[in-house]
Amino acid sequence: QVQLVESGGGLVQAGGSLRLSCAASGRSFSTYTMGWFRQAPGKERESVAAISWTGASTTQADSVKGRFTISRDNAKNTVYLQMNSLKPEDTAVYYCAGKPRGSSWSSWGQGTQVTVSS
């Protein structure tokens, strides 16, 4: 189990950039697949991006591909989401999550609000 604490959310204008950080505490961070999810008002939670424990493999949702980049620094126990070319449709609460090997998404951050103005 890891505890996840997010930072970096806020208000940004359309076309701008924002970087979210997720700091993890726990001994098993480096063995977790890490991901970012988001939930907009009235919509279901959706997966945004994920990264393997080594950082060698990443995925992004079609809606953010080419704009968002996920990365991790295991030495710092931190995962990042670099968000560029932000759109109002990206407005949501963003959650950091961890997935142990052989398990499901089981560790979640508290969520951080990202608001993109037009």
Side-chain angles (χ1 to χ4, degrees), residues 9-86:
L11 175 65
V12 65
Q13 66 182 22
S17 297
L18 206 61
R19 187 177 75 159
L20 305 183
S21 297
C22 176
S25 61
R27 296 179 295 176
S28 301
F29 172 78
S30 63
T31 70
Y32 277 51
T33 294
M34 300 297 298
W36 290 94
F37 295 76
R38 68 185 183 186
Q39 186 167 24
K43 296 184 178 180
E44 295 182 350
R45 184 183 64 191
E46 64 175 340
S47 176
V48 176
I51 186 168
S52 64
W53 73 272
T54 65
S57 179
T58 63
T59 61
Q60 299 83 37
D62 288 342
S63 60
V64 306
K65 191 172 297 183
R67 299 188 297 119
F68 291 10
T69 302
I70 188 171
S71 62
R72 70 189 297 164
D73 186 340
N74 287 346
K76 296 182 179 295
N77 278 9
T78 303
V79 63
Y80 306 94
L81 184 67
Q82 179 66 48
M83 304 184 293
N84 298 325
S85 301
L86 282 162

